Amino acid sequence: MSATEGDLLARHRAVMPRWLALYYEDPIELASASGRRVTDRAGRTYLDFFAGILTNAIGYDVAEISDAVRGQLATGVLHSSTLYLIRSQVELAEKIAALSGIPDAKVFFTNSGTEANETALMLATQFRRSDQVLALRNSYHGRSFASQAITGNRGWSASSLSPVKVSWVHGGYRFRSPFKDYSDADYIKACVADLREVIETATAGDVACMIAEPIQGVGGFATPPDGLFGAFKEVLDEYGILFVSDEVQTGWGRTGSHFWGIQAHGVTPDAMTFAKGLGNGLAIGGVVARGDLMDCITANSISTFGGNPVSTTGALATLNFLLDNDLQQNAEKMGERLIDGLRTIAEDRPAVGDVRGKGLMVGIELVGPGGEPDPKKAAGVLEGARERGLLVGKGGLYGNVIRLAPPMTVTEDEVEEALGVLGEVL
């Protein structure tokens, strides 16, 4: 760590909360970036395979996005609130509504995925006149009061207090599930039976919604078999329960096979939440939902900063770049190469219990000799990769999963470079 970074760390600790997590024994400050590479204040350059927690979806210093933002700044209108018409907001909403596949879709913009999930809960509970919610074990949905309440990961849920009544369902995290060794079909069947039993025994029946991540992000890129949520939706429809897909990490083509993660399950949700990659670093999130669901709020409301001119201009440029350059296809192709390479590496490394994911959402679960979670090994890989010039993420229910999610513009040479580093470290 440089003296400058050491001074900044001391200042950070003096004024920032103790619970605000920092990576690395010697935390780094990113001072500049271009493409898929970032440079710290000491001048060390790294290949970034975590992309600001999947947020820098296109990479860094992208001219088309920067120029669009500069063009908006040049107008002098950085902010107007939703009390006024915002052209870029309407254009972005039109595009997202069309891409969603949701009938008569409407869009509400927020500043983050947390706020988006809060909005989805408000819509569902109001629409159904119920405070009951179904959520998945090992899930993560944000750090606000209600979004923590529906987070099924103790390490990220600070309070047992809750504005909603939550019942927990199996299905997202297969590797340590009691149904782990079942075939895909039998796994889905067992999880559906569990869902039905939870509804019939742990709720009053009139549940507002189920909310689920198609791939559990903070939970270690836990990836259920395709079709699980389609089977869940059949049960939910029997009871009139809404289904909300949390696409904060899985949206915008990152999973490769589909534009939205939930599409792998053959189902159209009633609502989807989104954030992260849409802004390529700008603060933006939102909900896209059926028109009747979105319009069920009868009180007055606005969003002071949600959908502001700068964020929506940048997001529109990001989305256009992503679509024009078919980054979904690149995510699928590079993801397959990354997963295949990691599985080859894992063949003679017993510390790797599981390699999983889709597209450019890849998890490596580290285990001990008996298959137990080994968070110390994951911490060692995180540090070792950084020492060799590669930035990766860490997560999982037990903190023992390395998370790989590079910008969707990543090249084949960069995937090979990352595989070389990870092979060494593992």
Side-chain angles (χ1 to χ4, degrees):
M1 181 188 293
S2 68
T4 300
E5 285 174 321
D7 177 60
L8 185 61
L9 176 59
R11 291 163 59 193
H12 179 282
R13 287 175 173 163
V15 297
M16 307 298 284
R18 282 184 298 176
W19 42 261
L20 195 63
L22 284 169
Y23 269 175
Y24 307 117
E25 291 180 11
D26 296 324
I28 59 176
E29 176 193 2
L30 303 184
S32 62
S34 179
R36 275 72 54 197
R37 297 188 189 270
V38 297
T39 302
D40 67 17
R41 186 63 67 185
R44 178 83 188 273
T45 297
Y46 308 87
L47 178 60
D48 185 3
F49 257 53
F50 202 36
I53 320 180
L54 295 81
T55 300
N56 298 305
I58 313 300
Y60 299 90
D61 195 24
V62 181
E64 290 87 341
I65 301 170
S66 299
D67 289 346
V69 171
R70 278 191 286 266
Q72 182 59 43
L73 295 178
T75 69
V77 182
L78 276 69
H79 173 72
S80 67
S81 91
T82 52
L83 292 171
Y84 302 94
L85 290 170
I86 302 172
R87 185 172 298 274
S88 57
Q89 183 187 73
V90 174
E91 291 174 355
L92 182 60
E94 288 172 338
K95 184 154 286 193
I96 292 172
L99 288 165
S100 74
I102 296 173
D104 304 315
K106 290 191 174 183
V107 181
F108 177 79
F109 290 108
T110 65
N111 301 288
S112 68
T114 290
E115 191 185 340
N117 285 331
E118 286 278 340
T119 303
L121 290 176
M122 179 182 67
L123 292 171
T125 54
Q126 172 70 11
F127 189 86
R128 289 277 291 160
R129 308 303 295 173
S130 168
D131 63 352
Q132 299 169 87
V133 174
L134 298 168
L136 268 62
R137 303 174 190 195
N138 193 49
S139 59
Y140 176 84
H141 296 288
R143 48 136 204 85
S144 61
F145 191 38
S147 63
Q148 280 192 20
I150 57 170
T151 288
N153 184 322
R154 185 184 300 169
W156 291 92
S157 188
S159 173
S160 64
L161 300 174
S162 172
V164 290
K165 296 175 181 175
V166 186
S167 297
W168 303 100
V169 178
H170 277 295
Y173 183 27
R174 186 174 186 172
F175 185 66
R176 297 189 185 279
S177 165
F179 317 132
K180 172 186 176 181
D181 296 323
Y182 290 13
S183 68
D184 285 357
D186 286 343
Y187 182 87
I188 292 172
K189 185 177 179 180
C191 292
V192 168
D194 175 68
L195 169 62
R196 190 179 294 279
E197 184 174 3
V198 167
I199 293 172
E200 292 179 353
T201 63
T203 78
D206 55 339
V207 178
C209 69
M210 168 181 271
I211 184 167
E213 306 157 272
I215 296 176
Q216 294 183 326
V218 171
F221 291 158
T223 309
D226 289 353
L228 174 70
F229 294 113
F232 275 4
K233 185 71 162 58
E234 291 180 10
V235 176
L236 299 176
D237 287 347
E238 291 179 27
Y239 294 88
I241 299 170
L242 300 171
F243 180 63
V244 179
S245 183
D246 180 341
E247 299 278 351
V248 170
Q249 296 196 27
T250 52
W252 320 116
R254 176 164 284 279
T255 65
S257 60
H258 297 86
F259 194 76
W260 305 102
I262 198 62
Q263 290 173 328
H265 298 266
V267 62
T268 300
D270 299 289
M272 294 190 290
T273 58
F274 57 82
K276 290 194 181 292
L278 175 61
N280 200 48
L282 293 165
I284 190 168
V287 182
V288 54
R290 287 173 13 207
D292 60 336
L293 175 57
M294 185 67 79
D295 287 339
C296 75
I297 302 299
T298 55
N300 292 325
S301 192
I302 63 165
S303 181
T304 302
F305 294 107
N308 69 77
V310 175
S311 289
T312 50
T313 295
L316 191 57
T318 298
L319 187 52
N320 286 335
F321 186 98
L322 188 152
L323 295 169
D324 291 344
N325 292 277
D326 198 6
L327 295 189
Q328 179 182 334
Q329 183 183 43
N330 192 59
E332 183 169 29
K333 182 180 176 183
M334 294 300 104
E336 287 176 358
R337 177 68 196 99
L338 183 59
I339 291 171
D340 288 347
L342 288 169
R343 287 179 174 159
T344 299
I345 290 169
E347 287 174 2
D348 60 354
R349 288 166 175 81
V352 179
D354 192 28
V355 174
R356 57 179 177 253
K358 280 186 176 184
L360 293 175
M361 291 184 74
V362 183
I364 310 168
E365 179 146 354
L366 282 299
V367 299
E372 69 278 5
D374 197 329
K376 288 185 179 179
K377 284 179 182 167
V381 172
L382 186 82
E383 294 285 352
R386 176 256 176 115
E387 290 168 8
R388 291 163 176 80
L390 178 69
L391 302 185
V392 299
K394 186 166 68 72
L397 186 61
Y398 305 99
N400 67 317
V401 181
I402 294 298
R403 300 170 65 200
L404 306 175
M408 292 168 62
T409 49
V410 69
T411 67
E412 189 170 348
D413 286 346
E414 289 164 343
V415 169
E416 295 300 325
E417 180 182 343
L419 286 170
V421 171
L422 290 166
E424 236 181 82
V425 177
L426 287 166

